[in-house]
Amino acid sequence: MTRRPAISVIGDASLIPDSEKYVFARTLGCSLVENGYRIITGGLGGVMEAASAGAHASPHYREGDVIGMLPGADPNEANQYVDIALATGIDHARNFIVANSDAVIAIGGGAGTLSELSYAWVMHRLILAYECPHPGPDAGQFSDWSGIVAGKRLDDKIRYPEIPEDRIYGIRTADEALLLLKTLLPRYVHRPMRAGKR
Amino acid sequence: MTRRPAISVIGDASLIPDSEKYVFARTLGCSLVENGYRIITGGLGGVMEAASAGAHASPHYREGDVIGMLPGADPNEANQYVDIALATGIDHARNFIVANSDAVIAIGGGAGTLSELSYAWVMHRLILAYECPHPGPDAGQFSDWSGIVAGKRLDDKIRYPEIPEDRIYGIRTADEALLLLKTLLPRYVHRPMRAGKR
Amino acid sequence: MTRRPAISVIGDASLIPDSEKYVFARTLGCSLVENGYRIITGGLGGVMEAASAGAHASPHYREGDVIGMLPGADPNEANQYVDIALATGIDHARNFIVANSDAVIAIGGGAGTLSELSYAWVMHRLILAYECPHPGPDAGQFSDWSGIVAGKRLDDKIRYPEIPEDRIYGIRTADEALLLLKTLLPRYVHRPMRAGKR
Amino acid sequence: MTRRPAISVIGDASLIPDSEKYVFARTLGCSLVENGYRIITGGLGGVMEAASAGAHASPHYREGDVIGMLPGADPNEANQYVDIALATGIDHARNFIVANSDAVIAIGGGAGTLSELSYAWVMHRLILAYECPHPGPDAGQFSDWSGIVAGKRLDDKIRYPEIPEDRIYGIRTADEALLLLKTLLPRYVHRPMRAGKR
């Protein structure tokens, strides 16, 4: 038996409905389920809810396709589209677990999302990042982290010598995301490195 | 939509196939899925594998019913019956997350299982514990923790004033487990308490 | 340079002042510092506070000898005798960290303490447990876990083949604790085992 | 009694001795201890070791001023300048704890450091970031995160309405760091926010 890959969808925890990022997250959630992937989110609002709602909207959706890794200890804090609510109880430290899935896709996001992107990079995960066409003005601060890191590497470590183009791959459409997952996931056979002296 | 409850099945990490505990874990995994529950385990061997194999054996099994919360960072360490492998990467600290599910059922178990039982008690979870008819000799140490704690309370805190009989409920058959879940789960609406000053 | 060992003192989170357990925790905290050890606690009340207050009362106390590993994210939740307040923010999952010190001494305790004892056993730590002369009546439940586990092993794993008497060592006085630490700590050169398939 | 603040020093896990960043980390560690602060690091090499060595070099250094929060479960993995080795055992998830100190100072750093910076921002901590005069060429990727985030905000959340200039404060000298700590720490009375629905 081969497990179906589980893809973490991360990003802004609150979004204006029908904004570009909301629509993309919803479309992506639908496409992922359509193509046989499960999705993992942090179980709350914004991108997490939009992607989960999208998953439910797919005609191929099967109950159990949407996993929510909650920061709190109460499974009932999950948004209504979470099929499997895992109450970690370890607050933001759960971001490490969200990042340890088969691949991570970021849509916008602030500092919380950035912690997940950093962890995914450290843990040698395949990472895709949405480049929103109109992310909004940047008023003297970072915001929309998926757009900032798209196409970049988060540090100078060689994660995969056999993948010289390794980076955070920018995406503009759900189709691009699906194509990259199909092509790259088999090559990202991660060999997780533990922190510490070696 | 009502989420299907997820029940953590915990216990010995290695078991002799066809031993009483193995057979019970397998039967229980099957019955849980049969009755609409998902199961959560630590994703490894022994009770974790037996319960997961049992879930797969049910005619009502649907792919996605078996969740494995792994200690390591590699989803591929999961046993073959895990549908959804969550690589926590936080080693034994993942026991806290396993204990934070909708209810916990223990089958035998050593110190690792005991940490999960303790956490489930602290977090106000419904707990069932298998009383194995022939747990084997106790050679001057604790072992088979489910049998030891069955029928007991783990400390003198009043967890649920409205449930005076609150305790770790002993079970001897899967049917007993199912009956208790059906009766008690609606009453165990946990109000998780955070540690610390209040 | 040799690091001074740090000993975790764990147990009831609330205690009647001048009760046997309170007095023992205070005396033990004082003796540990007197003999060059640091103490680690969970940073809150009861045994944690009594041991920390005792440390401060020693004429050999040096600021920095008392470490509090708090469950919350606010260092200011620590009791007044904590010199170094580490705000873990991971709630009860911090018990795993408290248990990963050089040795663990339990004084009474409920389910939270039991989770720490279990972890210390799993992680191959040296463990001492106070046998309170008058622990109070056991009204149909477990309580006073240090007394229950004193002299026992928490499961049947052979943790140290070269220490056949390995167990949770019962203690009745601070002097006994100090003697055991001096004798045994050099022999408990732990080789922590990670959870998971090997 | 007032606890002495503990400042986390984070950054590159390996450094060329006598490089600008190494020298700065060493000088900063010395100055922090000189001015009554403790330091917390991740307990390993590079910036962590340099800052710890600097602390030891201060004439005001007192044993106990240097805390190492290790990713592994073995206290003996700490570098030789760590006085208090806390073996978290939760791998990179310990970055969340490192970030939950009284203030965080970053020196260079890759993705691991970035996860700590992100967490410190999320948890409303005071953050300083070293602007290295010659950080080296950026060969098509991010590196030297302290320089990138210096003077910026990590997202658009208003963390402290009463501190409109709130941001990651850039520093070029240890004296600047000390001055900012003295001035700002009293104003950053963090009110940690938990993740999740409210």
Side-chain angles (χ1 to χ4, degrees), chain A residues 1 3-4 38 40 56 62-64 67 69 72-76 80 82-90 96-97 100 102 123 125 190 192 194, chain B residues 1 3-4 38 40 56 62-64 67 69 72-76 80 82-90 96-97 100 102 123 125 190 192 194:
Chain A
M1 192 200 73
R3 281 187 306 104
R4 294 162 56 199
R38 284 176 208 292
I40 295 178
H56 278 237
R62 285 177 288 173
E63 190 264 334
I67 300 146
M69 303 285 296
D74 184 355
N76 298 315
Q80 63 176 310
V82 169
D83 299 327
I84 303 174
L86 296 162
T88 69
I90 58 172
F96 182 56
I97 304 177
N100 278 339
D102 292 299
M123 301 304 282
R125 261 55 184 181
H190 39 264
R194 289 197 181 277
Chain B
M1 192 199 75
R3 280 187 308 103
R4 294 162 56 198
R38 285 177 206 291
I40 295 177
H56 278 237
R62 284 177 288 174
E63 191 263 336
I67 300 146
M69 302 285 297
D74 184 354
N76 299 315
Q80 63 176 311
V82 169
D83 300 326
I84 303 174
L86 297 162
T88 69
I90 58 172
F96 182 56
I97 304 177
N100 278 339
D102 291 300
M123 300 305 283
R125 260 57 183 179
H190 37 267
R194 290 197 179 276

Side-chain angles (χ1 to χ4, degrees), chain B residues 66-128:
Chain B
V66 180
I67 300 146
M69 302 285 297
L70 294 159
D74 184 354
N76 299 315
E77 285 182 355
N79 72 57
Q80 63 176 311
Y81 305 104
V82 169
D83 300 326
I84 303 174
L86 297 162
T88 69
I90 58 172
D91 211 59
H92 297 284
R94 71 86 153 79
N95 294 5
F96 182 56
I97 304 177
V98 171
N100 278 339
S101 62
D102 291 300
V104 173
I105 305 179
I107 303 171
T113 302
L114 184 56
S115 71
E116 292 167 322
L117 282 164
S118 309
Y119 273 144
W121 184 264
V122 167
M123 300 305 283
H124 290 201
R125 260 57 183 179
L126 171 62
I127 310 173
L128 313 184

Side-chain angles (χ1 to χ4, degrees), chain D residues 51-122:
Chain D
S52 303
H56 278 237
S58 160
H60 288 85
Y61 161 75
R62 285 177 286 173
E63 190 263 335
D65 285 349
V66 180
I67 300 146
M69 302 286 296
L70 295 158
D74 184 354
N76 299 313
E77 284 182 353
N79 71 58
Q80 61 175 313
Y81 304 105
V82 170
D83 300 327
I84 303 174
L86 297 162
T88 69
I90 57 172
D91 211 58
H92 298 284
R94 71 86 153 79
N95 294 5
F96 181 56
I97 304 177
V98 171
N100 278 338
S101 62
D102 292 299
V104 173
I105 305 179
I107 302 171
T113 302
L114 184 56
S115 72
E116 293 168 322
L117 282 164
S118 309
Y119 272 144
W121 184 264
V122 166

Side-chain angles (χ1 to χ4, degrees), chain B:
Chain B
M1 192 199 75
T2 309
R3 280 187 308 103
R4 294 162 56 198
I7 312 297
S8 291
V9 183
I10 64 176
D12 297 291
S14 65
L15 280 179
I16 298 163
D18 300 322
S19 62
E20 281 178 329
K21 288 193 242 178
Y22 187 94
V23 171
F24 180 75
R26 207 175 183 289
T27 307
L28 179 68
C30 187
S31 295
L32 284 170
V33 162
E34 203 71 15
N35 285 270
Y37 300 101
R38 285 177 206 291
I39 71 169
I40 295 177
T41 78
L44 304 173
V47 162
M48 301 176 258
E49 187 166 322
S52 303
H56 278 237
S58 160
H60 289 84
Y61 161 77
R62 284 177 288 174
E63 191 263 336
D65 284 350
V66 180
I67 300 146
M69 302 285 297
L70 294 159
D74 184 354
N76 299 315
E77 285 182 355
N79 72 57
Q80 63 176 311
Y81 305 104
V82 169
D83 300 326
I84 303 174
L86 297 162
T88 69
I90 58 172
D91 211 59
H92 297 284
R94 71 86 153 79
N95 294 5
F96 182 56
I97 304 177
V98 171
N100 278 339
S101 62
D102 291 300
V104 173
I105 305 179
I107 303 171
T113 302
L114 184 56
S115 71
E116 292 167 322
L117 282 164
S118 309
Y119 273 144
W121 184 264
V122 167
M123 300 305 283
H124 290 201
R125 260 57 183 179
L126 171 62
I127 310 173
L128 313 184
Y130 178 55
E131 299 177 88
C132 187
H134 310 92
D138 179 327
Q141 81 264 326
F142 289 118
S143 65
D144 192 56
W145 274 103
S146 72
I148 296 169
V149 302
K152 303 273 191 147
R153 300 160 53 82
L154 290 191
D155 58 30
D156 55 10
K157 294 203 195 71
I158 307 297
R159 306 198 311 164
Y160 291 87
E162 70 278 19
I163 311 178
E165 74 275 25
D166 174 44
R167 64 184 185 281
I168 296 179
Y169 301 90
I171 52 170
R172 287 180 173 268
T173 65
D175 284 349
E176 279 179 42
L178 269 298
L179 185 59
L180 283 168
L181 284 179
K182 190 177 171 188
T183 315
L184 292 174
L185 208 44
R187 297 180 64 196
Y188 278 77
V189 181
H190 37 267
R191 299 142 304 177
M193 290 307 191
R194 290 197 179 276
K197 290 194 171 171
R198 264 168 273 273

